[in-house]
Amino acid sequence: MLFQENAMSVMVVVYLVLGLVLLVAGADLLVRGASRLALRFGISPLLIGLTVVAFGTSAPELAVSVQAGLAGQSGIAVGNIVGSNIFNVLMVLGVSALITPLVVSQQLIRVDVPLVIGASVLFLIMAFDGRIGLFDGLLLTGGIVAYIVFSIRQGRKESAAVQAEYAQDFGGEASRLLGQLPVQIGLIVGGLVLLVLGATWLVDSAVSIARILGVSEVIIGLTIVAAGTSLPELATSVVAAMRGERDIAVGNVIGSGLFNIFAIGGIAAMVTPGGLEVAPALIRFDIPVMVAVALACLPIFATGHCIARWEGALFVGYYLAYVAYLVLAATQHAALPAYSDAMLGFVLPLTAVTLVVLLARQRAAMRVAP
């Protein structure tokens, strides 16, 4: 009997890993096929980068949240959305900034980051009644449609030099094989198949792990599932940072954050019978953390229009602290009250004061500069 339980536990982990592998592979095929198909029909390379690629790296989150919602696992569905946004900003940006300081464009500071903040606050307001319903889903989906329309208009204003940069980063002149229409359609179909299969395996194994460990599905969604489905964003931003394409590293994270809330939250809420149920713990803590993380981007991004290495280290440290809190809360560890008091009474206020001082110094320096 014990041998059977151990064998079952091993198989659950195997399916979890295979599900993650299929999600990453499926997202890669989907991005490759969709970007080249878009180029074939004359769609702007810039628009491809802002929409197709950003949506492609968020495809695992979409597949998992929709599958979880249909399976009645709303905790995993919502936890995946919230956890992915927290992971993207703190870990993906943090690790990328540790590799090389990241340049932040004016558009991100003035437009995209405020949009992410607004979307996060809207998601929190919608969740107050404990459910993201059909109407909420329609409203969120309308938000991503409006963002895509806005991106199309912005893309038409971009210079030829910027469009050439996106063409180089996301495909440019397709190879002879990838330039063939049947191959492009095959990549898209194959990517979608792998995403659906990977999402099914990941959700099923995550639920089994939650039951084996005796923790809630929300915790699994916020940690294992969220980190796993964010691997495409992590890989894209880290590679972009290593290649010196620092603007892409930042834009990928911010764009994915918008897609996670608007598209994934909206579509998952619409296809889930009765809408997505939101656990009280998410409303009290995790969704406000997502809002706070989005808010923290503004002062950090605005200080010199650059994410320095120490700021990247701060992001990574906060993510580790966040995961530590989740583990302590899930296990009801005796150290939880002291840990919470230290974070709320010292670490977070000190960080907030530091960011405010840095932002004030930056504004003062800008006024003094000729």
Side-chain angles (χ1 to χ4, degrees):
M1 188 69 176
L2 180 61
F3 174 78
Q4 290 179 345
E5 291 179 357
N6 291 335
M8 185 181 300
S9 300
V10 171
M11 288 306 299
V12 167
V13 175
V14 169
Y15 274 106
L16 177 72
V17 174
L18 288 177
L20 290 174
V21 171
L22 291 182
L23 284 174
V24 176
D28 181 65
L29 291 179
L30 181 62
V31 170
R32 289 177 183 271
S35 61
R36 284 166 174 81
L37 186 64
L39 285 170
R40 167 184 286 273
F41 290 103
I43 298 176
S44 164
L46 175 59
L47 180 59
I48 295 170
L50 289 171
T51 55
V52 175
V53 175
F55 188 81
T57 56
S58 295
E61 285 95 331
L62 175 61
V64 167
S65 290
V66 169
Q67 175 66 26
L70 292 174
Q73 312 294 342
S74 292
I76 290 180
V78 181
N80 177 44
I81 295 169
V82 176
S84 292
N85 269 20
I86 295 172
F87 183 90
N88 285 345
V89 173
L90 296 183
M91 276 298 286
V92 176
L93 276 185
V95 171
S96 300
L98 285 174
I99 295 173
T100 182
L102 300 176
V103 175
V104 181
S105 68
Q106 280 285 353
Q107 178 179 334
L108 285 173
I109 298 173
R110 294 178 177 177
V111 178
D112 297 284
V113 172
L115 281 176
V116 172
I117 295 172
S120 301
V121 173
L122 177 63
F123 195 82
L124 175 61
I125 293 173
M126 289 179 172
F128 275 145
D129 63 353
R131 187 173 301 274
I132 305 294
L134 176 61
F135 177 76
D136 297 329
L138 289 170
L139 186 61
L140 291 172
T141 305
I144 198 59
V145 172
Y147 178 72
I148 291 174
V149 172
F150 170 79
S151 298
I152 292 174
R153 292 181 176 178
Q154 287 294 110
R156 291 174 178 172
K157 300 177 183 178
E158 294 294 337
S159 65
V162 175
Q163 292 191 5
E165 177 187 350
Y166 272 84
Q168 178 182 358
D169 293 324
F170 297 121
E173 294 295 330
S175 65
R176 182 173 299 178
L177 177 62
L178 293 179
Q180 298 177 8
L181 181 60
V183 175
Q184 295 164 351
I185 295 177
L187 289 174
I188 294 174
V189 174
L192 290 173
V193 170
L194 291 181
L195 282 172
V196 172
L197 183 59
T200 302
W201 287 359
L202 181 63
V203 171
D204 291 345
S205 58
V207 172
S208 299
I209 290 174
R211 290 171 179 168
I212 292 172
L213 297 179
V215 299
S216 70
E217 295 170 358
V218 172
I219 298 297
I220 297 296
L222 286 167
T223 53
I224 297 176
V225 176
T229 55
S230 295
L231 288 178
E233 287 92 339
L234 179 61
T236 300
S237 291
V238 168
V239 170
M242 294 176 66
R243 291 175 56 187
E245 298 162 346
R246 297 177 289 183
D247 53 342
I248 296 175
V250 180
N252 170 55
V253 169
I254 301 303
S256 294
L258 284 171
F259 273 98
N260 284 346
I261 295 175
F262 282 141
I264 299 173
I267 294 173
M270 287 192 298
V271 302
T272 301
L276 292 173
E277 184 178 349
V278 185
L282 286 169
I283 301 172
R284 289 195 306 266
F285 182 71
D286 300 284
I287 299 179
V289 168
M290 180 181 73
V291 175
V293 166
L295 284 169
C297 288
L298 270 183
I300 289 179
F301 285 15
T303 53
H305 298 170
C306 175
I307 307 176
R309 282 193 173 92
W310 75 267
E311 292 169 328
L314 183 68
F315 274 179
V316 173
Y318 270 130
Y319 185 75
L320 296 177
Y322 169 71
V323 173
Y325 176 86
L326 292 180
V327 172
L328 292 175
T331 58
Q332 292 297 307
H333 197 278
L336 179 61
Y339 184 84
S340 301
D341 291 342
M343 291 296 296
L344 294 175
F346 178 71
V347 177
L348 293 180
L350 180 62
T351 303
V353 170
T354 302
L355 293 178
V356 169
V357 170
L358 288 174
L359 185 59
R361 291 178 59 184
Q362 174 68 19
R363 297 299 184 189
M366 291 175 62
R367 286 196 296 267
V368 174

